[in-house]
Amino acid sequence: MAATTTAGTVPGVGAEERMDPRKLIAFFAMVLGMFMSILDIQIVSASLAEIQAGLSAGSDEIGWVQTSYLIAEVIMIPLSGTLARIVSTRYLFAFSAAGFTLSSVLCATATNIDQMIVYRALQGFIGGGMIPSVFAAAFTIFPPSKRAIVSPIIGLIATLAPTIGPTVGGYLSHAFSWHWLFLLNLAPGVVCTAAVLAWLDIDKPQPELFKRFDWWSLLFMSMFLGGLEYTLDDGPRHDWFDDRRVLLCALAALLGGGVFLWRSLRTEHPIVDLRAFRNRNFAVTSLISALLGVSIFTLIYITPVFLGQVAGYNPLQIGHVMMIQGGTMFLCAPVAGRLQLSMDPRHVIAIGLGLIFSGTWLNSHLTSDWGYAQFVLPQALRGAGFCFSFIPLTGLALGTLPMQQVHNASGLFNVTRNIGGALGLAVVNTLINQRTWLHWQQLAESARLSRAPVREALSGMQGMLRPELGGASQAGSISMLAQMVELQTATLTYGDMYRLIACSLLLSMPMILLLRKPRP
């Protein structure tokens, strides 16, 4: 009798643990779609000059190629939880993948900047539905014993995609043309759509929820997130509230955020359920994720700018430097997955934050002579650090929530990282302008022509110039001196930014103490 009972229970356990191959294929197709959606945030960053030339856009317009995508995506991400319940995860992801693919093709066919901005906004909004769906599907498809294997994959993709975005974009625009930044999505998008429609079936549509859809909350949430993203992105370029549009968007964000929060807490069926923040682990990990978003987005921004402005690197050379971080993340993902099984995940996060801090602090001592060799160690340290931080952080954020809250919470968790990145970029851009002016004044004071060392340096520079220049050689030497001052000014400014980002990472470390130790 005992033998019969044992024989009867073992197959049952095995059946629960056994994975449906079709669902596995559909899940990895979803991961591919999420990768493409996150990749497109940064894929244009190294090629904005080529896109600007191709579309005959102005310098004040080209930034909207990124801004429009981010604003639209950050609105869709928290909304996707409600939409997934209405139409099901399967149809939401398939529609998002198909729409993202079509809008990518439209971006490649844009003939002016206005078309590009509209298509990029469409691409970001529709594609934003893919990101939270992957996190929710992982916790639905896989049993608890398998999530420790899946979590590193999702964490790696979520952090690797924006890191290698400038690398991929620089290579494509250098080898082909900027159009391939968007045509790259065509084949993966078709594969994702087909695989998910054919093999993913993890929940059923609830169309009756559409009747209770809170359209007013959608309006105020869009005002809040869209206004906030625009204010943070365009504020540094237009002296913040001195610009009327920035001021109006800031007021819209303030009004929209207040009303949206009020309705979300009072409505019986809110479009974004904020109750997940009652879970201490989720609230703390979301805050740490926001601070990590500050570091990952700002570092991806200032490193290529320094290499292009000071070191004179082209997009392909910049991509080679950025690839160090992406390659290290890829190699460290299996290690991070094993560590979170054998160690307290909180300790793994602390190790990761320490590695990011170390790599960023090393960069704060950069000089104008820095190039590929000097960036290898800092980039490698940061790549390992981001891997060790994000992978266990995702598990701690979503692993302790009830299953019915995971889809909605995954959207909130992702949007906090994007908002953190937007806030970090706004602060960095503002401080770059201020510190550049400060360092320029300090260096200009020490480079006055009345100082004997400066006159001696100018004499040496004149000797380097061709003798046939005659009287023009003095003007040439002064121009050389001005270029040297400009390079040193930029170097000191970016060193300050790396130091600031490193200090922000120190603020996130004590928060780890607030996390509850996860159950075995």
Side-chain angles (χ1 to χ4, degrees), residues 331-461:
L331 294 174
C332 289
V335 180
R338 289 183 177 275
L339 279 180
Q340 72 171 350
L341 291 176
S342 58
M343 293 176 58
D344 187 330
R346 297 175 299 178
H347 298 163
V348 182
I349 296 172
I351 293 171
L353 293 175
L355 289 172
I356 304 171
F357 169 80
S358 301
T360 308
W361 188 257
L362 286 176
N363 276 136
S364 68
H365 299 91
L366 55 77
T367 67
S368 58
D369 297 326
W370 272 42
Y372 183 90
Q374 290 75 24
F375 272 94
V376 169
L377 180 58
Q379 289 287 94
L381 288 173
R382 285 199 292 268
F386 282 125
C387 215
F388 289 156
S389 299
F390 268 113
I391 288 175
L393 200 65
T394 303
L396 287 178
L398 304 179
T400 57
L401 291 171
M403 284 304 301
Q404 62 269 24
Q405 291 187 17
V406 168
H407 209 306
N408 178 76
S410 63
L412 292 174
F413 183 71
N414 279 278
V415 84
T416 55
R417 184 179 65 243
N418 282 13
I419 290 177
L423 179 62
L425 288 172
V427 172
V428 163
N429 276 317
T430 301
L431 291 178
I432 283 177
N433 293 333
Q434 294 178 357
R435 300 298 292 180
T436 298
W437 175 244
L438 176 64
H439 289 306
W440 175 266
Q441 287 182 313
Q442 293 173 342
L443 291 174
E445 180 67 22
S446 61
R448 286 178 299 152
L449 297 179
S450 59
R451 298 184 67 229
V454 175
R455 292 197 300 272
E456 293 177 7
L458 286 174
S459 299
M461 294 176 189

Side-chain angles (χ1 to χ4, degrees), residues 244-263:
R244 186 177 181 182
R245 289 174 300 179
V246 174
L247 177 61
L248 290 176
C249 283
L251 293 174
L254 186 63
L255 173 64
V259 178
F260 168 69
L261 180 63
W262 178 76
R263 290 189 67 88

Side-chain angles (χ1 to χ4, degrees), residues 25-79:
I25 295 173
F27 173 74
F28 284 109
M30 294 176 73
V31 171
L32 176 62
M34 181 186 76
F35 175 80
M36 301 307 296
S37 179
I38 301 177
L39 181 76
D40 268 50
I41 297 174
Q42 295 290 342
I43 197 171
V44 301
S45 61
S47 308
L48 286 175
E50 288 80 358
I51 298 174
Q52 181 180 353
L55 299 177
S56 301
S59 57
D60 58 334
E61 298 173 317
I62 194 62
W64 276 94
V65 175
Q66 277 186 294
T67 303
S68 59
Y69 185 95
L70 283 170
I71 290 176
E73 185 185 61
V74 82
I75 293 172
M76 180 58 168
I77 287 176
L79 183 62

